[in-house]
Amino acid sequence: MVEFKFIEYGTDFGTRDMGKKLREKLLALIKKGEKVVLDFTGVNVVTNSFADECIAKLLLEMPLNDLKRCTTFHGLNPLAERSVLVALQRRYRFMQETANQTN
């Protein structure tokens, strides 16, 4: 297992630009094949936009089951946890609707 400590990049995450930057770093770790612990210990704010860009858009790279298998979360406060969950649900639902429209 390898830890990705968000605190090394700040305590408040609100922009898509930062989300994209950190998603690219996460994806590189995930592609190495080890389980990645997404450690949010010490992070105060995670907006829906950041969570979508950083975490939920990983679903564009891999199926949900693969994402679950190769990542785990640690240290999310309740508000940050909600943002991540909502972003994942929305992205997954959007991808399902898009797939249904093309079939």
Side-chain angles (χ1 to χ4, degrees):
M1 264 196 240
V2 62
E3 285 188 324
F4 186 89
K5 295 181 178 273
F6 283 84
I7 194 72
E8 293 177 4
Y9 302 94
T11 58
D12 300 312
F13 297 98
T15 67
R16 285 193 175 272
D17 286 341
M18 179 59 87
K20 181 180 180 204
K21 176 183 169 185
L22 296 185
R23 176 172 33 89
E24 290 168 353
K25 291 179 182 289
L26 283 172
L27 195 54
L29 287 175
I30 289 168
K31 286 183 177 182
K32 289 182 179 179
E34 285 192 75
K35 187 159 190 152
V36 179
V37 177
L38 307 178
D39 187 356
F40 284 86
T41 302
V43 171
N44 298 319
V45 176
V46 175
T47 66
N48 288 348
S49 294
F50 173 85
D52 178 56
E53 194 68 40
C54 182
I55 297 165
K57 279 193 174 180
L58 290 170
L59 293 173
L60 300 173
E61 303 289 334
M62 68 192 73
L64 180 60
N65 286 337
D66 290 353
L67 182 61
K68 286 180 179 180
R69 188 174 56 251
C70 65
T71 62
T72 189
F73 292 88
H74 179 74
L76 281 164
N77 67 42
L79 292 174
E81 182 178 2
R82 175 97 175 123
S83 291
V84 170
L85 182 60
V86 166
L88 283 166
Q89 288 172 334
R90 287 178 180 167
R91 178 64 55 182
Y92 184 77
R93 188 170 40 244
F94 174 76
M95 291 173 64
Q96 293 299 311
E97 290 169 0
T98 303
N100 289 338
Q101 289 173 1
T102 58
N103 291 333

